[in-house]
């Protein structure tokens, strides 16, 4: 039975990895089209928009994605489908109510900004991306909890960048000013598709007793995820406030780095529900973390080798002298990605093992070090920001591994023999 589970996990990991590799290729094509056909400042603004989407993906679910997975995964595994679906619908309704309130605040903020700075439309654009990304994340994780990740991964990794790529090409040929609104439309369309495929859609299940939303647990998880996302993407916002041109260079470097991160997220998609069900089983948990680390490291290692062989001059020859520094920033970011790949599963253990506060503290320390350090020292180049990212990843990874070891030591003796 255990061998069958391992084969199933390996097969799912391979399929998700294949989808992620295809998505990485589309991401690279998207950034190439935007970099080659639009001004570097537009590339920077597009990067800020995608950074907002990624932060909202982590923080905009308010922890309902992670707490929902913790509740739903055992129910799906035990065949209690009606209960799992009821919890999924409960979480979806709760998140929709939160974003309905935030919509009113966003409209008010847009009006104020429009009257004072004349850029109220940008506020609505960023808000539209945020809400679409957050809802899409919740619906995707609900499928992952059901151990059915492939459709969601296809939508996130292939359909979203593919649709964004087609819109970018059409905008470049017909109406360049529609690039950003078109990207927003891609997020909205994919979010609707996520919902149609999620357990939240369809007729309600038969009447079952559903526990209330565990807001205390969810909000702690949300805070940790938000701090982590801001540690990664906050540098983009900081750089965007100083120079959109430098932001464009950093955006290209991050898109190159994201190709390596695809492996980590693909493996996490498959292993997260298994870790959620094994947090008290010492032997099983250690095996899952080590297996996830080994598989996650493959793609960033290959990408790092490719960048070292490629060299900086070839990237400058392709994109132009304004992208000087992209190669150096990419190499540093991929090294950080490799470190994250080797240790990322340990953060899932903290989230699912009742150590949400420790996860939140580590994420907060990373944010203070990375964004605070870059701000205090006035870092304004892509390479400088990449170095801060690497420093933050070293802190995070060492802390998460330490927390994982503490978790293992805290398991009851009856679980250690598992």
């Amino acid at each position: 039975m255990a061998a069958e589970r391992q084969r199933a996990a390996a097969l799912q990991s391979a399929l998700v990895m294949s989808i992620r590799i295809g998505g990485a290729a589309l991401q690279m094509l998207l950034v190439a089209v935007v970099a080659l056909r639009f001004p570097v400042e537009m590339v920077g603004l597009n990067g800020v928009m995608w950074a907002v989407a990624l932060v909202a993906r982590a923080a905009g679910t308010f922890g309902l994605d992670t707490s929902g997975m913790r509740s739903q995964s055992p129910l799906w595994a035990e065949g209690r489908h009606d209960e799992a679906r009821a919890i999924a619908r409960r979480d979806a309704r709760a998140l929709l109510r939160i974003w309905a309130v935030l919509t009113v605040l966003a409209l008010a903020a847009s009006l104020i900004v429009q009257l004072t700075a004349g850029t109220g439309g940008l506020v609505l654009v960023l808000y539209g991306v945020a809400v679409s990304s957050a809802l899409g994340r919740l619906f995707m994780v609900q499928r992952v909890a059901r151990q059915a990740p492939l459709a969601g991964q296809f939508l996130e990794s292939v359909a979203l960048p593919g649709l964004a790529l087609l819109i970018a090409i059409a905008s470049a040929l017909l109406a360049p000013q529609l690039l950003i609104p078109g990207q927003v439309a891609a997020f909205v369309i994919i979010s609707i598709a996520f919902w149609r495929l999620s357990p939240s859609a369809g007729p309600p299940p038969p009447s079952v007793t559903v526990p209330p939303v565990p807001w205390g647990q969810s909000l702690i998880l949300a805070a940790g995820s938000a701090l982590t996302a801001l540690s990664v993407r906050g540098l983009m916002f900081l750089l965007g406030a100083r120079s959109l041109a430098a932001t464009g260079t950093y955006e290209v470097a991050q898109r190159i780095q994201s190709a390596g991160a695809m492996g980590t997220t693909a493996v996490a998609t498959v292993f997260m529900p298994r870790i959620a069900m094994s947090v008290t089983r010492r032997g099983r948990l250690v095996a899952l973390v080590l297996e996830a680390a080994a598989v996650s490291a493959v793609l960033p290692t290959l990408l790092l080798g490719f960048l070292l062989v490629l060299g900086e001059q070839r990237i400058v020859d392709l994109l132009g002298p304004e992208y000087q520094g992209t190669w150096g920033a990419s190499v540093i970011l991929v090294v950080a990605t490799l470190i994250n790949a080797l240790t990322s599963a340990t953060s899932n253990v903290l989230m699912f093992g009742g150590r949400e506060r420790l996860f939140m503290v580590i994420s907060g320390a990373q944010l203070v070090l990375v964004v605070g350090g870059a701000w205090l020292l006035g870092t304004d180049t892509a390479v400088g920001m990449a170095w801060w990212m690497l420093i933050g990843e070293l802190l995070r990874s060492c802390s998460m591994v330490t927390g994982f070891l503490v978790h293992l030591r805290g398991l009851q003796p009856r679980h250690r023999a598992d």
Side-chain angles (χ1 to χ4, degrees):
M1 194 68 178
E4 290 180 4
R5 287 197 301 265
Q6 288 179 351
R7 284 195 294 270
L11 178 60
Q12 277 196 339
S13 295
L15 291 174
V16 174
M17 182 75 77
S18 300
I19 293 172
R20 286 284 186 173
I21 290 173
L26 288 172
Q27 290 275 10
M28 297 299 290
L29 287 174
L30 173 61
V31 74
V33 167
V34 175
L36 292 172
R37 298 303 301 267
F38 294 90
V40 67
E41 291 80 9
M42 185 67 76
V43 177
L45 181 58
N46 187 61
V48 170
M49 186 200 70
W50 279 81
V52 168
L54 291 169
V55 171
R57 183 176 182 272
T61 61
F62 296 92
L64 293 173
D65 55 339
T66 308
S67 65
M69 174 176 286
R70 178 186 289 181
S71 301
Q72 294 167 43
S73 293
L75 297 177
W76 288 115
E78 296 168 9
R80 298 159 63 183
H81 296 172
D82 289 339
E83 295 175 60
R85 190 175 290 108
I87 291 176
R89 292 174 66 87
R90 176 204 69 186
D91 292 346
R93 289 194 299 268
L95 188 60
L96 285 170
R97 286 194 291 267
I98 292 173
W99 280 103
V101 174
L102 293 178
T103 298
V104 177
L105 299 178
L107 290 173
S110 174
L111 178 61
I112 294 172
V113 173
Q114 183 63 34
L115 293 175
T116 56
T119 57
L122 181 59
V123 174
L124 293 181
V125 163
L126 297 179
Y127 176 80
V129 168
V131 63
S132 300
S133 184
L135 292 172
R137 166 68 180 179
L138 177 68
F139 298 138
M140 186 192 76
V141 171
Q142 288 177 348
R143 285 189 61 86
V144 173
R146 196 175 182 176
Q147 296 195 21
L150 296 182
Q153 287 302 301
F154 178 82
L155 286 175
E156 182 185 53
S157 302
V158 176
L160 177 58
L163 183 57
L165 174 61
L166 292 176
I167 291 173
I169 293 173
S171 299
L173 295 175
L174 302 174
Q177 70 275 15
L178 295 181
L179 172 65
I180 301 300
Q183 303 289 293
V184 177
F187 278 99
V188 173
I189 292 169
I190 296 302
S191 179
I192 294 172
F194 271 129
W195 169 70
R196 291 297 304 165
L197 292 174
S198 75
S200 300
S207 179
V208 295
T209 302
V210 180
V213 176
W215 284 116
Q217 176 192 97
S218 297
L219 292 177
I220 292 174
L221 290 168
S225 296
L227 292 169
T228 299
L230 287 172
S231 298
V232 175
R233 301 298 169 181
L235 296 177
M236 179 72 76
F237 303 141
L238 183 60
L239 197 55
R242 292 173 175 171
S243 170
L244 280 178
T247 306
T249 301
Y250 190 67
E251 160 68 0
V252 175
Q254 279 206 325
R255 288 305 181 97
I256 294 173
Q257 170 262 342
S258 67
M262 291 292 181
T264 303
T265 51
V267 172
T269 299
V270 175
F271 280 85
M272 278 177 67
R274 290 173 170 82
I275 290 175
M277 293 184 289
S278 304
V279 290
T280 60
R281 302 169 58 191
R282 183 183 179 91
R284 175 70 173 156
L285 189 59
V286 171
L288 285 172
V289 169
L290 293 177
E291 187 178 353
V295 180
S296 297
V298 173
L299 206 55
T301 300
L302 293 175
L303 180 59
L304 180 60
F306 172 76
L307 286 173
L308 294 176
V309 171
L310 183 66
E312 181 174 15
Q313 192 57 46
R314 292 185 183 179
I315 292 182
V316 174
D317 291 342
L318 175 64
L319 299 178
E322 62 268 32
Y323 289 95
Q324 191 82 32
T326 296
W327 179 83
S330 300
V331 169
I332 298 168
L333 290 175
V334 172
V335 172
T337 299
L338 179 58
I339 295 171
N340 176 260
L342 294 171
T343 61
S344 62
T346 59
S347 63
N348 293 329
V349 174
L350 299 187
M351 286 190 291
F352 296 132
R355 300 181 183 274
E356 303 91 349
R357 295 182 186 277
L358 178 58
F359 173 73
M360 180 179 66
V361 169
I362 294 171
S363 301
Q366 182 185 13
L367 175 64
V368 171
L369 174 64
V370 174
V371 178
W375 178 71
L376 287 174
L377 295 183
T379 306
D380 58 0
T381 65
V383 173
M385 291 298 187
W387 276 114
W388 280 111
M389 183 68 68
L390 177 58
I391 293 170
E393 191 55 56
L394 286 170
L395 170 68
R396 172 185 171 81
S397 296
C398 292
S399 301
M400 291 295 180
V401 170
T402 302
F404 170 65
L405 296 176
V406 170
H407 175 80
L408 290 182
R409 292 190 61 184
L411 294 179
Q412 296 297 321
R414 64 178 178 272
H415 296 303
R416 295 192 179 191
D418 180 75

